[in-house]
Amino acid sequence: MTGRLEVLGDDGEPEEHPAPPPEPALLQLYIEQGRAVRNAYITVGRAYSEAARPVMETLARGIEAYGRALRAAGVIDRNSQ
């Protein structure tokens, strides 16, 4: 992605001036800090999914039991899923 600075000339028309390239050290710092943030998001996402797993499994078992009870009572037919 290239930055662009738009400056109006004396005639009111835009004059294009390309943005200077970032300093290599600054770019490297950005990459390193971005990597740390990305890794933190991954860690949080994994921790959340592991913490939510037992809740979701319990919920799924409850829904399945509820469906079996409704089928046994004849409220829904046996082919309903």
Side-chain angles (χ1 to χ4, degrees):
M1 183 170 162
T2 303
R4 196 179 91 186
L5 174 64
E6 188 170 277
V7 178
L8 298 180
D10 293 334
D11 59 358
E13 293 298 314
E15 296 178 2
E16 291 194 27
H17 299 278
E23 295 290 325
L26 182 60
L27 182 57
Q28 186 61 34
L29 179 63
Y30 175 79
I31 291 169
E32 289 170 7
Q33 289 178 347
R35 186 177 300 126
V37 170
R38 177 184 168 275
N39 291 341
Y41 272 111
I42 290 169
T43 300
V44 167
R46 286 181 179 153
Y48 178 82
S49 64
E50 286 302 312
R53 181 185 310 265
V55 173
M56 293 288 122
E57 289 172 349
T58 301
L59 179 61
R61 284 191 299 273
I63 292 171
E64 289 170 356
Y66 188 62
R68 284 191 302 272
L70 290 174
R71 281 188 207 90
V75 175
I76 58 176
D77 68 32
R78 301 222 174 255
N79 296 326
S80 297
Q81 295 199 14

